[in-house]
């Protein structure tokens, strides 16, 4: 069997793990944005999110695209960080589920940090030695916006802590985690939830779904956690809800754009906990990506259908 050439836009920390899992293929590093031609023998492209300077996606493919590429593997589940032309021609697969546990743990950490007032309760002087009122997570309610791989990982972990879990999902498919209550709409979810985790993809249908009208129905003191995409939130509406007290806390690992410009209110707002899209950066994510890719590579070489094919009509 001939040695397969895989062009990868990922950094070496990823490529070295990939190489360990695909002994019958050669991983060749290529720059983000496809600014130079791919190796002529490359049949597979592992694509990282890429943008031109200033955050603008290149609107035209490089000359010769798609070259001899037959398959594009994304490093993410969402497709919004990639130019449209990347989906013209070769089959494209996503990294669905590869970071689900990392994202679930991050969301759970945000919930615990809010209930236990971390890091605010840490003290550095005897003069601050005084008990502070905390909350229990047991008996609270978590609402999930979207129920895919992240929901499947997060829901049982939350339930193990005594948290009640509600969910809204786009499809009519049965929720596979026992005990998760499906609710009819976002309004109901926001009215009943103490914590809401956004775990839906960025599509035209989900853009700014967290808006002023919806936040008017938020349970007082709601904690909003976004580990999905920043485009799901209307920033001005969220800031108003925080200032008015309808939302008690926003834990945001994603924003739109990324990074936010200097001076954006999220950086300094006392009720916002902002992190730089870092929730997925764990060793298991690299390992899971490599394992998924190796399994799909075997399918590709045998001519079998690939797993995780992107459905452009759904946007993921």
């Amino acid at each position: 069997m001939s040695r397969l050439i895989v062009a990868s836009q990922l950094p070496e920390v990823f490529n070295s793990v990939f190489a360990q899992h695909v002994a019958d293929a050669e991983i060749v590093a290529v720059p983000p944005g496809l600014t130079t031609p791919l190796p002529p023998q490359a049949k597979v492209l592992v694509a990282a999110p890429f943008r031109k300077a200033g955050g603008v996606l290149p609107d035209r493919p490089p000359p010769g695209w798609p070259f001899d590429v037959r398959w594009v593997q994304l490093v993410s589940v969402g497709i919004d960080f990639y130019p449209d032309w990347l989906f013209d021609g070769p089959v494209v697969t996503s990294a669905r589920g590869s970071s689900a546990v990392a994202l679930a743990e991050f969301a759970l950490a945000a919930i615990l940090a809010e209930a236990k007032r971390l890091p605010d309760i840490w003290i550095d002087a005897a003069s601050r030695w005084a008990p502070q009122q905390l909350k229990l997570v047991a008996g609270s309610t978590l609402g999930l916006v979207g129920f895919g791989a992240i929901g499947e990982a997060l829901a049982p972990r939350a339930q193990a802590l005594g948290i009640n879990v509600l969910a809204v999902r786009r499809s009519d498919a049965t929720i596979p985690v026992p005990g998760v209550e499906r609710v009819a709409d976002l309004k109901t979810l926001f009215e009943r939830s103490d914590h809401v985790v956004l775990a839906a993809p960025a599509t035209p249908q989900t853009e700014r779904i967290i808006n002023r009208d919806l936040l008017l129905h938020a349970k007082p003191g709601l904690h909003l956690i976004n580990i999905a995409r920043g485009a799901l939130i209307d920033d001005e509406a969220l800031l108003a809800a925080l200032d008015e007290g309808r939302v008690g806390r926003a834990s945001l690992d994603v924003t739109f754009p990324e990074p936010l410009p200097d001076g954006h209110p999220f950086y300094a707002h006392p009720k916002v906990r902002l992190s730089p899209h870092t929730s997925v950066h764990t060793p298991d994510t690299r390992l899971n990506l490599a394992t998924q890719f190796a399994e799909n590579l075997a399918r590709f070489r045998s001519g079998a259908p690939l797993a995780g094919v992107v459905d452009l009509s759904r946007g993921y």
Side-chain angles (χ1 to χ4, degrees), residues 41-257:
Q41 307 94 335
K43 298 292 191 293
V44 181
L45 172 66
V46 180
F50 54 93
R51 299 175 181 270
K52 286 185 176 180
V56 179
L57 292 173
D59 57 4
R60 293 185 179 181
W65 174 258
F67 313 112
D68 201 24
V69 171
R70 310 291 176 82
W71 165 34
V72 177
Q73 170 68 53
L74 306 183
V75 74
S76 60
V77 178
I79 66 175
D80 50 312
F81 285 165
Y82 303 87
D84 292 342
W85 53 259
L86 191 69
F87 303 91
D88 292 339
V91 62
V92 180
T93 56
S94 77
R96 184 186 185 278
S98 61
S99 56
V101 171
L103 289 164
E105 288 189 355
F106 191 92
L108 202 56
I111 291 170
L112 287 164
E114 172 60 14
K116 305 308 176 184
R117 297 182 60 191
L118 304 177
D120 300 339
I121 62 168
W122 305 143
I123 62 174
D124 55 8
S127 60
R128 298 183 58 198
W129 196 281
Q132 299 188 48
Q133 190 68 32
L134 306 180
K135 300 175 184 176
L136 287 176
V137 296
S140 65
T141 298
L142 166 63
L144 299 177
V145 178
F147 201 95
I150 298 170
E152 291 179 24
L154 177 55
R157 287 168 168 80
Q159 289 171 328
L161 294 175
I163 300 173
N164 305 306
V165 182
L166 314 176
V168 168
R169 73 183 311 184
R170 176 182 177 182
S171 77
D172 295 328
T174 301
I175 292 178
V177 178
V180 175
E181 179 185 351
R182 185 174 194 151
V183 296
D185 51 42
L186 288 173
K187 174 184 172 182
T188 303
L189 188 85
F190 272 65
E191 288 175 340
R192 294 178 55 188
S193 298
D194 300 291
H195 308 270
V196 167
V197 171
L198 306 184
T203 68
Q205 291 73 35
T206 62
E207 184 175 356
R208 296 190 176 188
I209 56 170
I210 310 305
N211 53 39
R212 180 170 179 79
D213 289 343
L214 177 60
L215 292 173
L216 288 173
H217 297 282
K219 185 176 181 179
L222 172 74
H223 178 204
L224 181 66
I225 304 164
N226 194 0
I227 53 172
R229 287 290 190 267
L232 274 62
I233 295 177
D234 180 329
D235 290 355
E236 292 185 4
L238 176 57
L239 286 165
L242 289 164
D243 291 339
E244 294 163 9
R246 286 180 284 111
V247 174
R249 174 77 66 187
S251 297
L252 309 175
D253 189 50
V254 290
T255 62
F256 184 82

